[in-house]
Amino acid sequence: MSTRSVPLATLLSVVPYFHSRGAVPVSEAARDLGMTDKALRSALWQLWSCGLPGYGPGDLIDLAFSAEDLDDAEMVEVTFTAGIDRPVRLTAAEAVTLETGLAVFLDRPEVVEQAALRDLLATLRTAAGAESARAPQGSDTGDSDADVVRTAVRSGRALRFVYHSASSDSSTIRVVDPARLSVADGHSYVHGMDRGSGAWRTFRTDRMSRVEEVGPRRALGPEPQDDGEGERRLERAIVPAAGAWFLDEFGFHSVARRPDGDLDVEIAYFDRAWLVRFLLGHADVVTPADPVLAREIAERATAGLAVYTGSVPEPTEEEPAPGM
């Protein structure tokens, strides 16, 4: 057995190959995969100890082979794939996100070799374009908007777009002089000067639509450290043990488990209106620790339900002041 590790990309191609073909001679599989017999056997040995948490039967990738030892086997079959049953490919959205993140290192030769980086970026753009071309006609992938954004940032052009704000749940037309792109928590962002407010702002690219260039970018000046986001605040809340699954859906600022299984969490937010909507929308799994805020959420929910039942109380006329 070889102790040399096999690149992940190779491992991810070996399992789908065997999965689609059943029992295959090692020499034939090595030829099809562009590997030597020794390299393929090393990959199979490495895969045999990989799998899903639990690491027991039905969790680990399983092999069947025609000899007592894998190194001597002529025929090999993958009998359990642990979910790796097709070649791994980037979606258009994943390619765009990766390209955006890597573009940060352009013109920074001290960080990464520039020729290799530009080749990789070109490959990612081609992959994203190919995915977009395969999308059904009329589907809105947002790739064309993303292309306009990236091109404008690189070429120093201003942008006009419709932006949907999650905090106010409204859409507005913005004209922005973009400075740079960044990636955080799986989302890409444009940082730049918003001409409407005259201040630096940060925009999530997946909330931008109908993006177009509107001429040369204006002088930007220094970028403030907080990027115009304002002050982040934290709100303490409680997630019941039965709602612990929600931790996989939303990234809380901090999480601490109580002895009874319930969880104390902190919600990071910038806009209180967003916080209220968030708590209303997830009242079954998140309860604010602040009793005043909890009462406000309950009253808002009760008022909302009353609209559906038609039991909204009619406004009463105010009693006249004495002497009037």
Side-chain angles (χ1 to χ4, degrees):
M1 172 182 169
S2 172
T3 59
R4 182 179 180 182
S5 62
V6 180
L8 177 61
T10 301
L11 296 176
L12 293 176
S13 66
V14 169
V15 179
Y17 172 88
F18 280 92
H19 174 69
S20 63
R21 289 166 175 79
V24 182
V26 173
S27 58
E28 178 182 330
R31 183 179 66 253
D32 290 345
L33 292 167
M35 305 169 66
T36 64
D37 282 19
K38 182 178 180 181
L40 178 57
R41 293 181 194 277
S42 294
L44 291 169
W45 272 115
Q46 194 166 332
L47 285 165
W48 208 8
S49 60
C50 298
L52 303 170
Y55 307 114
D59 300 319
L60 296 173
I61 292 172
D62 203 2
L63 308 177
F65 35 89
S66 61
E68 291 186 3
D69 193 301
L70 178 57
D71 284 336
D72 300 325
E74 294 183 2
M75 304 285 290
V76 174
E77 180 180 4
V78 173
T79 57
F80 181 70
T81 66
I84 309 176
D85 52 8
R86 60 185 177 84
V88 178
R89 293 185 177 91
L90 291 176
T91 65
E94 291 167 338
V96 168
T97 301
L98 182 57
E99 181 200 343
T100 301
L102 291 172
V104 172
F105 300 104
L106 283 171
D107 301 320
R108 296 189 63 183
E110 73 280 5
V111 176
V112 64
E113 203 278 317
Q114 293 293 291
L117 176 60
R118 293 181 189 279
D119 287 344
L120 176 56
L121 290 174
T123 301
L124 289 171
R125 292 185 191 114
T126 301
E131 279 293 324
S132 179
R134 286 195 293 270
Q137 188 172 6
S139 65
D140 181 12
T141 64
D143 290 337
S144 59
D145 285 337
D147 288 339
V148 174
V149 171
R150 294 193 302 274
T151 301
V153 172
R154 288 196 298 267
S155 59
R157 308 286 291 179
L159 292 169
R160 180 194 290 121
F161 52 88
V162 176
Y163 189 70
H164 179 76
S165 171
S167 61
S168 63
D169 195 22
S170 62
S171 296
T172 55
I173 296 177
R174 305 294 187 96
V175 178
V176 173
D177 296 296
R180 62 183 178 88
L181 291 164
S182 67
V183 176
D185 299 326
H187 299 289
S188 58
Y189 297 84
V190 177
H191 306 258
M193 178 69 71
D194 179 19
R195 292 186 184 178
S197 63
W200 281 81
R201 291 289 185 265
T202 300
F203 303 93
R204 246 175 69 170
T205 57
D206 60 346
R207 293 178 181 159
M208 299 164 61
S209 61
R210 294 166 54 189
V211 183
E212 58 180 343
E213 292 185 7
V214 289
R217 181 176 60 197
R218 296 177 181 176
L220 294 171
E223 181 178 1
Q225 186 173 4
D226 66 359
D227 291 339
E229 287 281 4
E231 181 181 358
R232 185 180 68 168
R233 288 170 283 181
L234 298 173
E235 185 67 39
R236 292 174 52 247
I238 301 165
V239 174
W245 58 267
F246 191 57
L247 271 66
D248 294 329
E249 303 292 327
F250 181 82
F252 291 99
H253 178 75
S254 65
V255 177
R257 187 177 295 276
R258 296 179 175 183
D260 61 1
D262 290 350
L263 301 132
D264 291 313
V265 301
E266 287 186 323
I267 306 168
Y269 70 100
F270 293 96
D271 183 88
R272 192 176 186 278
W274 175 89
L275 175 66
V276 170
R277 284 202 311 277
F278 174 80
L279 292 171
L280 278 169
H282 302 92
D284 58 329
V285 287
V286 185
T287 303
D290 178 7
V292 176
L293 180 57
R295 187 164 54 250
E296 178 185 348
I297 298 300
E299 291 172 353
R300 291 278 295 272
T302 301
L305 290 172
V307 173
Y308 290 95
T309 60
S311 59
V312 180
E314 293 291 333
T316 57
E317 291 187 4
E318 188 175 338
E319 291 290 330
M324 294 185 65

